[in-house]
């Protein structure tokens, strides 16, 4: 580790050594140290905030062509380096290489999309009810925004927060997850050469207890966009509202996947496998609740068990791997704890449930399926965030819908059916922000809104044109003759 390369914070257009450093470990091979990444102290976070505040007046009123060109340049470089950046992502987070390259591609497309949004800024010009008076409704940048991102999408989620923030004229201070700083650092290095003025973008790596606390509580930060756990998100909301800062939260999910009697069995099994186990189940949109009607239940469980035998767990960079490792030892222990809980609650272990031995030492867990479970069990109600799913039997569609909605969360929900009647009814009556019909619950586009309801999300939507709701404020101007 003494020979590991060090990666610094980026503050006010300069690379700044951290107060300390933390090793970035490959979960597929714990002997592989990707590098040592800076940990900022409170003074460095405040310096980044001050730099962003100083840069804001000029950047927020800069020409839209300059903003477009800088964002487009970032997107182009990401796409040109997708193989290299995909390798980095797979090493530090554990996604398989094809998934990692796909995520990098998405990040590049996000920057390209928001480069275009710079040229599509619009408002309204309206007549007043008073003769001789007209009204302009325009949008202006919010100000300095603090972005706090999770470990499960280490380049896509930073991209979908950074790109709109800069496109609409805000200045950014981003804190990536301490567990996976490599992709965020690589993205910052690309941004540092793209033509943004010093202070418009700042990267401060480190712990939530230090970096996050300063960002959330600073009176100089106008808004916080956070993706992470429910407990942390709710505390951020309290702190931001108390000082009247804008806040946007994306938190947990316990996403239902309904399988109706009339579903195509092969298709239903495949989308359930994709929803529950791919990306090692470490997606906020993953489905760990498979709600299956009685007529197809036994066939579905048997077909799932058979399909799961062909899932290859292994090193994220190894060809042929379907599912990589769990991201960390702590997350692995949490997954194993829930497997024990499921068994102690009386659910039947159908497949998986144990560790997988590979050529390298890593955090490999077999995809795990429970059946004969009840809606009241903890494995049916709490977010596990790993490759663990359970099947609950219900009588019919009405019971399935009721069970799907019986949760504190409301991010994504899916249904497998050949009935247009049930598909349309589910789209309208599902209490989720995103509904999938004959598709996995995980997997969304970059140009349309992302977000949920109830305990999953708070504030305006992310992604697509809807991102402007958080990153801008509306101004109404009256003009007399």
């Amino acid at each position: 580790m003494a020979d590991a390369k060090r990666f610094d914070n980026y503050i006010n257009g300069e690379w700044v050594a951290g107060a300390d450093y933390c090793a970035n470990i490959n979960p597929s091979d714990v002997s592989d140290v990707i590098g040592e990444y800076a940990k900022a102290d409170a003074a460095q976070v405040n310096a980044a905030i001050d730099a962003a505040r100083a840069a804001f007046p000029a950047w927020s009123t800069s020409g839209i062509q300059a903003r477009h060109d800088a964002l487009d340049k970032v997107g182009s470089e990401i796409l040109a380096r997708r193989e290299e950046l995909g390798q980095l992502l797979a090493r530090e987070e554990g996604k398989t290489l094809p998934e990692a390259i796909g995520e990098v591609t998405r990040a590049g497309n996000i920057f390209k999309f928001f480069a275009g949004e710079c040229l599509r800024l619009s408002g309204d010009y309206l007549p007043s009810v008073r003769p001789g008076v007209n009204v302009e409704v325009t949008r202006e940048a919010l100000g300095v925004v603090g972005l706090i991102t999770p470990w499960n999408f280490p380049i896509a989620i930073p991209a979908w927060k950074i790109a709109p923030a800069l496109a609409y004229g805000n200045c950014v201070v981003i804190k990536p997850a301490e567990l996976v700083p490599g992709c965020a650092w690589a993205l910052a290095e690309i941004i540092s050469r793209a033509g943004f003025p010093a202070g418009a973008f700042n990267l401060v790596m480190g712990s939530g207890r230090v970096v996050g606390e300063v960002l959330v509580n600073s009176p100089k930060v106008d808004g916080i966009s956070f993706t992470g756990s429910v407990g942390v998100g709710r505390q951020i909301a309290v702190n931001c509202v108390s000082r009247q800062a804008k806040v946007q939260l994306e938190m947990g999910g316990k996403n239902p996947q309904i399988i109706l009697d009339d579903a195509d069995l092969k298709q239903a099994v495949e989308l359930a496998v994709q929803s529950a186990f791919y990306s090692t189940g470490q997606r906020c949109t993953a489905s760990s609740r498979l709600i299956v009607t009685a007529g197809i239940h036994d066939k579905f469980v048997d077909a799932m068990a058979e399909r799961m035998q062909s899932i290859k767990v292994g090193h994220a960079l190894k060809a042929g791997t379907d599912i990589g490792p769990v991201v960390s030892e702590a997350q692995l222990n949490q997954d194993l704890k829930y497997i024990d809980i499921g068994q102690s609650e009386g659910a039947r272990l159908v497949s998986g449930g144990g560790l997988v031995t590979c050529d390298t030492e890593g955090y490999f867990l077999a995809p795990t399926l429970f059946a004969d479970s009840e809606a009241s069990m903890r494995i049916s109600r709490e977010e596990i965030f790993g490759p663990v799913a359970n099947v609950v039997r219900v009588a019919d569609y009405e019971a399935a819908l009721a069970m799907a909605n019986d949760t504190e969360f409301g991010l994504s929900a899916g249904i497998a059916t050949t009935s247009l009647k049930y598909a349309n009814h589910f789209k309208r009556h599902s209490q989720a922000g995103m509904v999938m019909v004959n598709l996995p619950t995980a997997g969304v586009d970059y140009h349309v809104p992302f977000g949920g309801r109830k305990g999953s999300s708070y504030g305006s939507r992310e992604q697509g044109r809807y991102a402007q709701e958080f990153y801008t404020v509306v101004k109404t101007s009256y003009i007399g003759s």
Side-chain angles (χ1 to χ4, degrees):
M1 191 175 296
D3 296 329
K5 183 178 179 180
R6 287 192 160 184
F7 298 85
D8 294 336
N9 292 309
Y10 185 69
I11 301 171
N12 200 27
E14 298 182 349
W15 296 102
V16 179
D20 197 1
Y21 288 81
C22 182
N24 187 359
I25 304 296
N26 181 350
S28 291
D29 180 359
V30 297
S31 68
D32 178 22
V33 179
I34 297 160
E36 292 189 329
Y37 288 78
K39 297 178 69 173
D41 58 19
Q44 290 176 324
V45 183
N46 281 313
I49 294 169
D50 287 341
R53 177 61 60 193
F56 178 70
W59 178 246
S60 62
T61 57
S62 62
I64 58 174
Q65 189 65 51
R67 288 189 216 169
H68 168 278
D69 292 349
L71 288 165
D72 189 66
K73 186 175 181 180
V74 173
S76 293
E77 183 168 344
I78 292 171
L79 294 174
R81 295 172 57 190
R82 71 183 81 191
E83 300 280 344
E84 168 203 346
L85 295 172
Q87 290 263 347
L88 171 62
L89 197 160
R91 280 180 73 198
E92 75 166 355
E93 197 272 345
K95 277 189 176 71
T96 64
L97 183 57
E99 285 184 307
I101 293 171
E103 181 179 334
V104 171
T105 302
R106 178 177 177 180
N109 286 333
I110 287 168
F111 273 92
K112 291 279 191 179
F113 175 85
F114 282 105
E117 285 296 275
C118 294
L119 308 180
R120 292 189 287 265
L121 293 172
S122 61
D124 295 306
Y125 186 77
L126 304 168
S128 170
V129 296
R130 292 169 287 173
V133 176
N134 289 294
V135 183
E136 292 180 356
V137 182
T138 54
R139 289 184 176 273
E140 297 179 359
L142 174 62
V144 175
V145 292
L147 310 178
I148 302 174
T149 60
W151 52 258
N152 61 326
F153 284 87
I155 195 166
I157 293 180
W160 86 43
K161 293 182 188 292
I162 294 167
L166 294 173
Y168 296 121
N170 299 279
C171 292
V172 167
V173 181
I174 183 170
K175 188 206 93 65
E178 189 176 9
L179 192 60
V180 290
C183 286
W185 189 93
L187 180 55
E189 196 277 330
I190 293 171
I191 291 171
S192 74
R193 295 181 282 98
F196 297 96
F201 171 84
N202 305 270
L203 169 75
V204 280
M205 299 176 287
S207 73
R209 289 186 300 275
V210 176
V211 180
E213 285 285 331
V214 175
L215 278 177
V216 168
N217 295 307
S218 173
K220 299 177 182 178
V221 176
D222 300 291
I224 295 288
S225 180
F226 167 84
T227 301
S229 70
V230 175
V232 174
R234 287 175 176 168
Q235 188 57 55
I236 287 173
V238 170
N239 292 358
C240 286
V241 171
S242 69
R243 63 180 185 84
Q244 294 184 285
K246 207 168 184 180
V247 62
Q248 177 185 62
L249 307 176
E250 291 296 340
M251 300 177 287
K254 191 66 177 175
N255 308 296
Q257 174 65 63
I258 292 174
I259 312 294
L260 295 186
D261 287 353
D262 65 7
D264 179 285
L265 180 61
K266 184 176 180 180
Q267 180 187 53
V269 166
E270 197 58 37
L271 66 85
V273 166
Q274 290 283 342
S275 294
F277 304 127
Y278 276 64
S279 297
T280 324
Q282 296 175 153
R283 298 181 282 195
C284 55
T285 52
S287 177
S288 59
R289 284 198 300 153
L290 308 176
I291 303 170
V292 186
T293 50
I296 199 174
H297 175 275
D298 293 350
K299 292 179 181 178
F300 175 79
V301 172
D302 290 343
M304 282 288 290
E306 181 179 354
R307 172 67 177 85
M308 290 171 67
Q309 298 310 306
S310 65
I311 297 174
K312 175 64 176 176
V313 177
H315 195 297
L317 292 174
K318 188 174 181 180
T321 296
D322 296 313
I323 298 176
V326 175
V327 72
S328 69
E329 183 178 12
Q331 188 63 42
L332 176 62
N333 289 336
Q334 176 173 302
D335 296 344
L336 292 171
K337 180 190 77 171
Y338 273 105
I339 292 171
D340 288 341
I341 288 170
Q343 292 177 298
S344 67
E345 289 181 318
R348 174 168 60 96
L349 183 62
V350 174
S351 183
L355 301 178
V356 175
T357 301
C358 295
D359 295 336
T360 54
E361 182 182 352
Y363 308 121
F364 302 105
L365 178 64
T368 299
L369 183 69
F370 286 101
D372 301 338
S373 54
E374 303 293 335
S376 59
M377 291 179 176
R378 289 180 63 186
I379 59 171
S380 297
R381 306 205 67 82
E382 299 176 12
E383 184 175 38
I384 299 172
F385 222 67
V388 182
N390 68 300
V391 180
V392 183
R393 184 197 303 259
V394 293
D396 51 27
Y397 168 74
E398 287 73 20
L401 175 63
M403 187 175 292
N405 287 335
D406 181 21
T407 173
E408 66 176 303
F409 300 111
L411 182 55
S412 183
I415 187 168
T417 180
T418 55
S419 166
L420 186 60
K421 170 189 171 182
Y422 288 135
N424 284 333
H425 189 274
F426 187 70
K427 284 190 295 180
R428 175 61 184 85
H429 294 279
S430 171
Q431 296 171 5
M434 297 179 290
V435 174
M436 311 296 185
V437 178
N438 294 323
L439 290 167
T441 56
V444 295
D445 294 342
Y446 62 85
H447 67 301
V448 296
F450 176 96
R453 295 166 63 172
K454 299 191 281 187
S456 291
S457 303
Y458 181 83
S460 50
R461 291 288 189 259
E462 295 198 271
Q463 299 202 107
R465 181 160 292 184
Y466 285 76
Q468 69 179 342
E469 298 299 328
F470 178 74
Y471 292 104
T472 65
V473 292
V474 173
K475 176 178 284 184
T476 305
S477 301
Y478 292 85
I479 307 100
S481 56

